[in-house]
């Protein structure tokens, strides 16, 4: 079959057009208009499974004054005719305004968003106000002093001691009736009608947290308490706080309260932070260029004056050599007009009586402005609490955070219930004004535990998972692959490759895999270990070429570090894009039968074998799928790490193959603009009329692997999009799929079922009468779900550690007519076809595979020059997979 779509071979392929590619590209326009897709409503609830009593972390919100109205006012704050920026200072100004002028405002309480809008629970006496607000210097931020800049050898101007005066204008903008929430709950109004009152309630929650001195991160808040922190190393600390948001649900308005974690800089002495951040034991080993970049914009408090400053840089010289000019003052505080030069250390010794010790030979912190530096010795400065750390965590930091911040279900329930009581929302004046009261107990819901899917393994044996888990003890793979002409390459000094090969062959035999002896065991030259990762990979391939007359079919690669090896990306890129060789990377610290079995699960899948099948898949009796050619897609977009906004995003789509199976997939991966969530390369017409998009690859592969059958049904599982992007999935992504299908010469369009899966939400489920996590297969489609749309929560995996988080599935369209039970059981079953493990996973396997494919191929560009992207140039493209491996499950 010709994958390039060249006209001279089109006749041999019934899915391709018999005319030229240019003519094919007009199919989508010449026929009827492209189909329009609209989000469907819920048609019913499921009935299958065993019923179970549950609790959800939703606290009912009663609206006791349904006719209440919020009033929105625009706020403008000026100082010297310049607009004041910054939420911190703005909140202080509005707080002072209320305390000064509350009678003029008819004592109306209000919620202020920290920027340009405030809301009241009742109308103010006038539509427009102008106020003058005075903040003392200590309120503005720096505090008062005795003549010099606080903690600095540079004099302050006289004006800086004066109070700050601001003009504030408040003007009426809109009225927001609370009853629109009730109309949405009854289905009498569109959901967007509730956005405005819900936004007001979100501002109320944020203001309550801000008034308590919390760090605000979107809808989460964090109050500093060392008991709620976890040190993850590198000068970074995880802090536990709470997420709170109002949601419209089938059971009414509810407050969703959950635990949340964000990362902050570890508060304390600046020097201690730098030592931890750079992992050195003494200040003399600190990389000061790196430190300068890291410290910029951090806030510090001085020990000798108890004032806060923002760091803009470091001094060029250490404290004992950094000079500045100053005018000494006499005993009356009056300067004599003579300017002298003095070092920072001399100034602190002679004028403040402070003898510098640990930072005498270290650079000073510069907390001034670019042309007017203010120098502070490091030993007098500490990082203030609650400063967000926005960069990506290392693998070790992530592991430490997860390990130290888990809570079992009973503990989480207690913490959340206490949090709702401690926040005292029922005393909030704005909520009181509009008659909203919050229940103190979690919402009771009824769930169902679906029947566990049965699996088929080798020798026609059946395997019944227990609590979401199974194993291959005394069992073989259902389709084991023969492994011949393979090699082991070793980048690790501690790996015994001879023993590894023997143990792998023996373990494979017990799983039904015939693994021949490797044709070569290739050790890295120890001198190469000092080279960069790309050079080490190149050298290893030179050794492979020297030892073998032709390329191997499979390479087992022993890496030196677990999970974080910088060789991984270049190695995978070399094998998969240049040579087309399937490869499996390992980093064996302890080799046992379980470890080798897990490795063989991946090897067998990558080489085209199958470890297990669903029993209904093996028997060809999957409802709605076995009888009609059906393609299942998993779609995901991965973004660059925090702090790297110039990194391209990576879109990945996996498509099922070998219908009627639903356990085998092929992946197609592309780069796209940074932070772009909607996939833009599903259909990608070129200047010559051909399509270079993702879907063309997957549709052709489905056709080839499914004995010439074309998909007439397509089930799309989309990960990572929010409710506000649902229509874009239908209007942009689904339309691209239709265009790709039409471009292949098809005038008909498959029937679609589109399901969005969300894991990044804050709903948790708890057993009402047990302390364990909910059982695998637990589904909830009442009470806490959307009042009208078709959604449900499903916890398909076993949560052995911490508290399980269910997946939240939203069915956007279902042209294929699945019943609720059929769709929920299909989704549950797709959590058991994940070939890499012997346990049910938390989300359907196609989505997980798409995530793995994006992550693995994202490593290919890790070492490339990304300057083009950051300068607004073209997005660097990923290298395409070699034709020998492009249809493989390389991502397993």
């Amino acid at each position: 079959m010709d994958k390039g779509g060249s006209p001279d071979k089109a006749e041999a392929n019934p899915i391709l057009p018999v005319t030229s590619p240019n003519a094919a590209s007009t199919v989508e326009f010449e026929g009827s208009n492209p189909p329009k897709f609209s989000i469907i409503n819920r048609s019913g609830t499921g009935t299958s499974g065993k019923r179970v009593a549950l609790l959800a972390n939703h606290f009912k919100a009663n609206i006791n004054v349904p006719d209440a109205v919020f009033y929105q006012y625009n706020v403008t704050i000026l100082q010297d005719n310049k607009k004041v920026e910054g939420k911190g200072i703005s909140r202080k100004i509005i707080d002072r305004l209320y305390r000064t002028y509350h009678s003029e405002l008819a004592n109306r309480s209000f919620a202020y968003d920290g920027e340009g809008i405030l809301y009241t629970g009742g109308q103010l006496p006038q539509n427009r106000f102008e106020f003058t607000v005075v903040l003392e210097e200590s309120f503005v931020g720096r505090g008062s002093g005795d003549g010099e800049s606080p903690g600095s050898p540079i004099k302050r101007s006289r004006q800086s001691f004066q109070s700050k005066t601001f003009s504030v204008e408040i003007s009426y903008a809109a009225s927001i009736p609370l009853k629109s929430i009730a109309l949405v709950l009854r289905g009498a109004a569109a959901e967007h009608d509730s956005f405005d009152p819900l936004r007001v309630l979100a501002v109320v929650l944020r203001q309550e947290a801000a008034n308590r001195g919390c760090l605000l991160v979107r809808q989460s808040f964090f109050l500093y308490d060392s008991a709620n922190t976890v040190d993850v190393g590198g000068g970074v600390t995880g802090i536990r706080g709470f997420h709170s948001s109002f949601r419209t649900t089938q059971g009414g308005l509810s407050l969703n309260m959950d635990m949340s974690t964000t990362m902050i800089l570890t508060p304390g002495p600046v020097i201690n932070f730098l030592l931890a951040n750079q992992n050195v034991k003494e200040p003399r080993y600190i990389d000061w260029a790196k430190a300068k970049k890291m410290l910029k914009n951090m806030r510090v408090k001085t020990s000798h004056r108890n004032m806060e400053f923002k760091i803009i840089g470091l001094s060029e010289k250490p404290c004992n050599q950094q000079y500045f000019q100053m005018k000494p003052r006499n005993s009356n505080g009056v300067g004599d007009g003579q300017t002298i030069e003095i070092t920072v250390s001399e100034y602190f010794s002679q004028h403040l009586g402070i003898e510098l010790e640990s930072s005498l030979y270290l650079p000073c912190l510069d907390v001034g402005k670019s042309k007017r530096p203010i120098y502070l010795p490091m030993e007098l400065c500490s990082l203030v609490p609650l400063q967000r750390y926005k960069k990506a965590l290392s693998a070790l930091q992530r592991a430490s955070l997860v390990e130290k911040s888990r809570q079992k279900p009973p503990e989480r329930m207690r913490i959340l219930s206490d949090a709702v009581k401690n926040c005292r929302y029922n005393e909030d004046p704005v909520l009181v004004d509009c008659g909203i009261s919050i229940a103190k107990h979690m919402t009771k819901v009824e769930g169902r535990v679906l029947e566990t899917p049965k699996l088929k393994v080798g020798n026609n044996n059946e395997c019944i998972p227990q609590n979401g888990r199974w194993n291959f003890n005394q069992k073989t793979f259902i389709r084991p692959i023969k492994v011949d002409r393979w090699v082991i390459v070793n980048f690790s000094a501690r790996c015994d490759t001879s023993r590894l090969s023997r143990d792998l062959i023996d373990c494979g035999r017990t799983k039904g895999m015939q693994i021949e002896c490797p044709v070569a065991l290739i050790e890295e030259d120890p001198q190469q270990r000092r080279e960069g990762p790309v050079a080490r990979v190149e050298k290893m391939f030179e050794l492979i070429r020297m030892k073998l007359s032709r390329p191997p079919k499979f390479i087992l690669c022993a890496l030196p570090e677990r999970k974080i090896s910088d060789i991984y990306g270049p190695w995978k890129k070399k094998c998969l894009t240049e040579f087309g060789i399937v490869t499996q990377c390992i980093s064996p610290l302890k080799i046992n039968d379980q470890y080798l079995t897990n490795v063989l699960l991946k090897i067998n899948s990558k080489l085209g074998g199958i470890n297990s099948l669903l029993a209904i898949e093996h028997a060809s009796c999957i409802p709605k799928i076995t009888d009609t050619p059906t393609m299942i897609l998993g779609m995901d977009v991965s973004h660059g790490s925090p702090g790297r906004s110039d990194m391209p995003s990576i879109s990945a789509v996996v498509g099922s193959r070998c219908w009627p199976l639903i356990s085998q997939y092929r992946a197609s991966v592309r780069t796209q603009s940074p932070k772009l969530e909607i996939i833009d390369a599903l259909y990608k017409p070129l200047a010559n009329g051909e399509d270079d998009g993702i879907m063309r690859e997957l549709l052709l592969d489905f056709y080839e692997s499914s004995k010439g059958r074309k998909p007439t049904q397509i089930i799309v599982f989309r990960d990572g999009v929010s409710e506000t992007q649902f229509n874009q999935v239908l209007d942009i992504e689904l339309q691209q799929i239709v265009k790709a299908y039409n471009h292949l010469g098809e005038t008909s369009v498959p029937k679609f079922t589109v399901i969005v899966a969300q894991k990044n939400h804050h709903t948790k489920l708890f057993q009402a009468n047990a302390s364990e996590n909910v059982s695998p297969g637990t589904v909830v489609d009442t009470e806490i779900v959307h009042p009208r749309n078709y959604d449900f929560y499903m916890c398909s995996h076993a949560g052995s550690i911490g508290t399980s988080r269910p997946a939240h599935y939203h069915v956007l369209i279902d042209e294929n007519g699945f019943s609720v039970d059929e769709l929920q059981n299909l989704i549950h079953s797709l959590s058991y076809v994940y070939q890499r493990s012997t346990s049910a996973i938390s989300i359907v396997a196609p989505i997980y595979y798409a995530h793995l494919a994006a992550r693995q191929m994202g490593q290919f560009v890790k070492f490339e020059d990304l300057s083009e992207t950051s300068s607004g140039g073209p997005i660097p493209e990923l290298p395409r997979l070699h034709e020998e491996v492009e249809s493989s499950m390389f991502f397993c």
Side-chain angles (χ1 to χ4, degrees), residues 338-355:
Q338 184 181 0
T339 299
I340 65 168
E341 279 205 338
I342 188 172
T343 65
V344 173
S345 59
E346 288 171 342
Y347 169 81
F348 275 88
S349 173
Q350 297 171 17
H351 293 266
L352 297 179
I354 298 174
E355 297 292 340

Side-chain angles (χ1 to χ4, degrees), residues 56-60 205 208-209 212 219-221 241-247 254-260 412-425 438-439 442-443 761-766:
N57 59 335
H58 287 227
F59 298 81
K60 285 188 182 275
L205 297 178
E208 186 278 335
R212 292 191 288 128
Q219 291 176 288
S220 296
F221 56 92
F242 297 95
H243 164 94
S244 62
S245 63
F246 282 99
R247 300 186 64 83
S254 70
L255 177 72
N256 179 204
M257 179 72 86
D258 190 23
M259 295 176 67
S260 183
R412 186 176 284 253
M413 291 174 69
R414 177 186 58 77
I415 292 172
L416 293 178
S417 296
D418 288 348
V420 171
K421 294 170 187 172
N422 294 337
C423 287
R424 300 163 73 174
Y425 290 126
I438 312 296
M442 291 188 178
T443 299
H761 62 84
H762 288 277
T763 293
K764 300 291 191 299
L765 301 174
F766 305 90

Side-chain angles (χ1 to χ4, degrees), residues 9-61:
K9 296 188 179 181
E11 289 183 317
N13 180 1
I15 200 171
L16 291 176
V18 294
T19 52
S20 71
N22 284 325
S25 67
T26 65
V27 170
E28 63 196 84
F29 304 111
E30 291 176 354
S32 58
N33 292 327
K36 295 289 185 183
F37 302 104
S38 300
I39 297 174
I40 62 174
N41 292 339
R42 185 188 311 278
S43 59
T45 56
T47 58
S48 66
K50 177 184 175 183
R51 299 189 181 277
V52 60
L54 303 172
L55 296 171
N57 59 335
H58 287 227
F59 298 81
K60 285 188 182 275

